[in-house]
Amino acid sequence: MGCCSGRVRVALETSGWSSLERQKPPWLDLWTMDRDLSDEDSVVDLSFEAESPLAPPAELLERLPSYDCLFQGGGRQIFFPPLEAPGRPEEPRCWSSFLEQRVPVVTEEVAREALLSFVNSKCCYGSAAAGDLIIQELKQQTLCRYRLETFSESRISEWTFQPFTKHSVDGPQRGASPRLWDIKVQVPPMFQEDIRKFQVPHSSLVKECHKCHGRGRYKCSGCHGAGMVRCPSCCGAKRRARQPRRCQMCSGCGRRRCSTCSGRGNKTCATCKGEKKLLHFIQLVIMWKNSLFEFVSEHRLNCPGELLAKAKGENLFKDENTVVYPLVDFPLREISLASQRGLAQHSAALASRARVLQQRQTIELIPLTEVHYWYQGKTNVYYIYGTDHRVYVADYPERYCCGCTII
């Protein structure tokens, strides 16, 4: 800045401005107003850099023998789980006892009560039609819903850092860092997803902050370190245009305190929080995920499939173990095929990147009833699905507006 100021001073003297040193032209005052006037400022000017934390350069970090791969893949690495010996398949099941279970039959009285309950929950549906319509026929069908859940654990490692607050450093000098799958952690309850982060033992390194270069602060980008900025009201002219009075916002001085740094001229480094040093370490990220596969058996009734996928059913079968096996002998062949397909999909998706902790497969019975009714000379249908008798009506006859959701 000093060199630049010198060049301006020479230009002024050459052009005859040296005799009017006390009467500097307005444009010169405006030019110097937003500049840093200090020639020996130890604060680094980082106004051209983002203020959010940046990743440390890999060349600043010593290599740890157990984690060389982190320096080759951009600072993040997925670790494959150890191979486990497959278990023995289960013995064939006898399904006769399971198939003896039946869902209660929907009667005409139950069908009408379900419709009345549905209509009363809608603000613009009239209940007279639900009470007066004549039920002509009930077509009932029981569906099977197969569900497979696979609870898995995956681990990745990544370099991260935090401000160093002069606490003890658990570095490589204390021993070799363990492999990621050798680190013991508390597993959450089965089938409950979670993400946790842990610091890998003996992986810490203390380095000078790469953002502020160890100074703990940097020059404000709003005022360039001056602490003052040009008044936005008078643009530094000390008086507003066509007004004889001095500017009230800046009290006639042409400058205001910088709101970005509150007039200090510098800001605390957002990366090291003013501590000047950073503690770098390898962070273990563990993700527990519950993968879900669902299939509903085919039906002949015209009820939306998405409703049946969410319907409440009666539990018919449940199998939970570290590894479950396909239901190859289930009487309904499409359920057996769905079981084989679901297990194959989960195995292909998780085998190379996660460890399976638990699997659970269930079969539920979902009752579905198509109700044919007659009302005011017209015939129509509605559906009752699930053990809690939910209702789906495509075209209810007594409806006062068209803005309601019918599901």
Side-chain angles (χ1 to χ4, degrees), residues 13 39 50 204 215 238 324 339:
E13 291 176 358
D39 292 334
S204 300
R215 292 177 174 86
K238 303 180 181 180
V324 297
S339 175

Side-chain angles (χ1 to χ4, degrees), residues 11 57 73 88 114 130 134 138 152 156 173 195 207-208 235 274 288 291 295 302 306 319 331 338 351 361 372 375:
R88 296 180 58 186
I134 299 175
L138 299 173
S152 62
I156 63 173
Q173 68 277 5
I195 297 178
K207 291 291 181 181
E208 179 184 273
C235 298
W288 289 278
S291 302
F295 173 80
N302 192 24
E306 59 270 17
D319 177 23
Q361 58 181 346
H372 292 252
Y375 181 73

Side-chain angles (χ1 to χ4, degrees), residues 146-150 289-294 345-346:
Y146 172 81
R147 177 181 287 137
L148 171 66
E149 297 174 89
T150 301
K289 183 180 179 181
N290 190 38
S291 302
L292 179 64
F293 174 88
E294 284 186 326
Q345 289 182 7
H346 283 192

Side-chain angles (χ1 to χ4, degrees), residues 8-21 23 25:
V8 173
R9 190 177 298 111
V10 171
L12 292 176
E13 291 176 358
T14 304
S15 58
W17 283 101
S18 56
S19 60
L20 301 175
E21 186 176 358
Q23 300 179 4

